[in-house]
Amino acid sequence: MKIIEALGIDVSKSTIDVHLHQKNMSKEFENSNKGFKQLVKWGCKQTKLCFSQIVVCFEHTGLYSLQLAAFFQSEQIDFVMVPALEIKRSFGIVRGKSDRVDAQRIANYAYLRRDDLTPTILPSKKILAIQKLLGLRAKLVIQRAGFKSLEKESKSVLSQKENSSFFSTQKKMITYLTKQINALEKEIKSIITNDSNLDRLFKLVTSVKGIGLIVAVNMLVITNCFTNFQDGRKFACYAGIAPFQRQSGTSLKSTARVSHLANKHMKALLHLAAGSAIQSDPEMQQYYLKRVEKGNSKMSTLNIIKNKLIHRVFAVVKRGTPYVSLHTHKKLKTF
C-alpha cells in the first residue's frame, strides 16, 4: 500500500512528541501504553488513514524507545527505528532544539525517505534479555577494572600494613564484582543453551578460533541472530574495522583507513579476539609474524585479522557447519 503520511516521534523518558508531516500537526503523549493507544487514535482521526499508509519513525533511544517499539509490534503497526546520528545528519545546518521541533524533523526525514525505509523488527525476548545482561556485565567489568587499577597504583605508593582496611575493601569489591560477572555469564549461557537456534548459532560462531563467549554473544545480539547484516563486510563497517579510501581529484589521495563511525565496544572486543586468535590459531599466528617481519604495521595486521575472523564467522553461519582450520586440514592430508 502506498505511503501517504509520515509520523515522526521524539521519545523522552516520560513523554513522546509526535508530528504529522503532511498535516503539519503536533501533539504530546505519555510514554506509556495508555499514551501509545491515544497516539494511534489521534493519528487515525487526524489523517483519516489506516497506519499501513503512514510511515512511523523514531530514534533508537534504548530503554526509552523499547516500550514504544514493543507496542507497535504487538499492534502489528510497521515502524522504523533509525540511529540518532543518521537523522541528525539529515537535518543539515540547523539552529535550536526542542522535542517538538525534533519530532517535526524526524517526520520530514521519514517522508522524504518513505520509499526506502525498511520496517524494524524487534529481536526475540531472549535476545533482548541477553542484551540487557550484556549491558549490565559491561558496566560491572568497567567498575572492576577501576578497582583493579586503583589497587595497583595504591600498592606502589602506600603501605599495605598501614592501610589494611583500604586494601581489603578493594579486594572485597573486586571479588564481589567478579562473582557477579560470572553469575551474569552463567545466566547468558543458560538462555542460549535452552534455545535450540541460539545454541546452534553459538556453537558455529565459537568454532572459529579466537571467538569466545562474550564476542560470540555480542555478535548474536547485534546481528539479531545474523539477520540484520547480509554479509561480513557490512558488519565490519558497523564495527569500524573496514578500511575506506579517501580520494578527491589529484590533491587528496591517502591510504585506506577505518572510519571513526563505529560500534566502539564491538571494535574493542574484536581487538581482543584478534589477539586471542594469534595465540590459539597457528595459521593466524604465522600470518601475523610474516607481515610484521616484512615491516608492516602491527595494528594494520591486527585489523586484517579482525576482518578475517568476521568473515569466517559469517561463512560458518551461512554454511551451517563448524569452522575447519586449514592448518589442521593440511596436517591430516600428510598422513
Side-chain angles (χ1 to χ4, degrees), residues 227-279:
T227 59
N228 290 346
F229 294 86
Q230 295 177 358
D231 51 53
R233 170 70 181 181
K234 293 188 185 306
F235 185 80
C237 293
Y238 172 82
I241 62 172
F244 291 91
Q245 286 188 331
R246 294 187 66 209
Q247 188 269 334
S248 179
T250 57
S251 59
L252 177 61
K253 190 174 183 180
S254 63
T255 56
R257 296 182 179 180
V258 297
S259 172
H260 69 280
L261 298 176
N263 182 324
K264 301 295 178 60
H265 180 61
M266 190 70 241
K267 187 175 183 178
L269 289 175
L270 287 170
H271 184 80
L272 296 175
S276 176
I278 293 171
Q279 299 296 323

Side-chain angles (χ1 to χ4, degrees), residues 40-239:
V40 172
K41 289 181 180 178
W42 177 80
C44 292
K45 182 179 179 181
Q46 299 301 327
T47 61
K48 308 298 182 184
L49 301 169
C50 61
F51 265 80
S52 59
Q53 297 173 291
I54 303 173
V55 56
V56 179
C57 183
F58 51 94
E59 294 178 354
H60 195 308
T61 56
L63 291 174
Y64 295 161
S65 61
L66 183 59
Q67 187 178 3
L68 177 62
F71 171 81
F72 281 134
Q73 187 157 295
S74 66
E75 295 294 319
Q76 297 183 341
I77 296 174
D78 288 342
F79 63 95
V80 182
M81 275 201 300
V82 184
L85 182 62
E86 183 176 335
I87 295 178
K88 183 179 180 181
R89 291 199 165 188
S90 72
F91 295 162
I93 299 174
V94 295
R95 294 176 177 83
K97 183 188 183 304
S98 71
D99 292 343
R100 184 172 179 176
V101 171
D102 284 348
Q104 184 177 352
R105 290 169 178 167
I106 294 169
N108 180 62
Y109 166 90
Y111 187 78
L112 292 175
R113 294 161 178 78
R114 61 190 183 278
D115 295 326
D116 301 322
L117 295 174
T118 304
T120 299
I121 300 175
L122 283 180
S124 65
K125 290 183 178 180
K126 290 185 178 180
I127 288 291
L128 290 174
I130 292 173
Q131 187 177 24
K132 292 174 184 176
L133 293 174
L134 283 174
L136 179 56
R137 181 192 175 278
K139 290 181 179 179
L140 294 181
V141 168
I142 292 172
Q143 291 179 9
R144 184 178 64 177
F147 280 110
K148 285 183 176 181
S149 178
L150 177 60
E151 182 185 39
K152 185 178 179 180
E153 291 176 0
S154 301
K155 284 181 178 179
S156 63
V157 295
L158 297 176
S159 169
Q160 294 189 45
K161 289 183 178 180
E162 296 177 0
N163 300 275
S164 58
S165 297
F166 178 79
F167 283 101
S168 64
T169 301
Q170 290 183 72
K171 286 182 180 179
K172 287 178 183 178
M173 289 302 299
I174 293 170
T175 302
Y176 175 76
L177 289 171
T178 300
K179 184 179 179 181
Q180 297 306 312
I181 290 168
N182 292 337
L184 289 174
E185 291 177 357
K186 186 178 180 181
E187 178 65 21
I188 291 170
K189 287 179 182 177
S190 176
I191 294 173
I192 292 172
T193 304
N194 292 325
D195 185 284
S196 58
N197 185 48
L198 284 175
D199 189 49
R200 179 183 66 84
L201 289 173
F202 178 77
K203 288 177 179 177
L204 288 173
V205 174
T206 52
S207 69
V208 178
K209 290 185 177 181
I211 305 295
L213 169 68
I214 301 304
V215 177
V217 174
N218 271 275
M219 290 187 75
L220 285 172
V221 169
I222 291 171
T223 62
N224 190 15
C225 294
F226 295 90
T227 59
N228 290 346
F229 294 86
Q230 295 177 358
D231 51 53
R233 170 70 181 181
K234 293 188 185 306
F235 185 80
C237 293
Y238 172 82

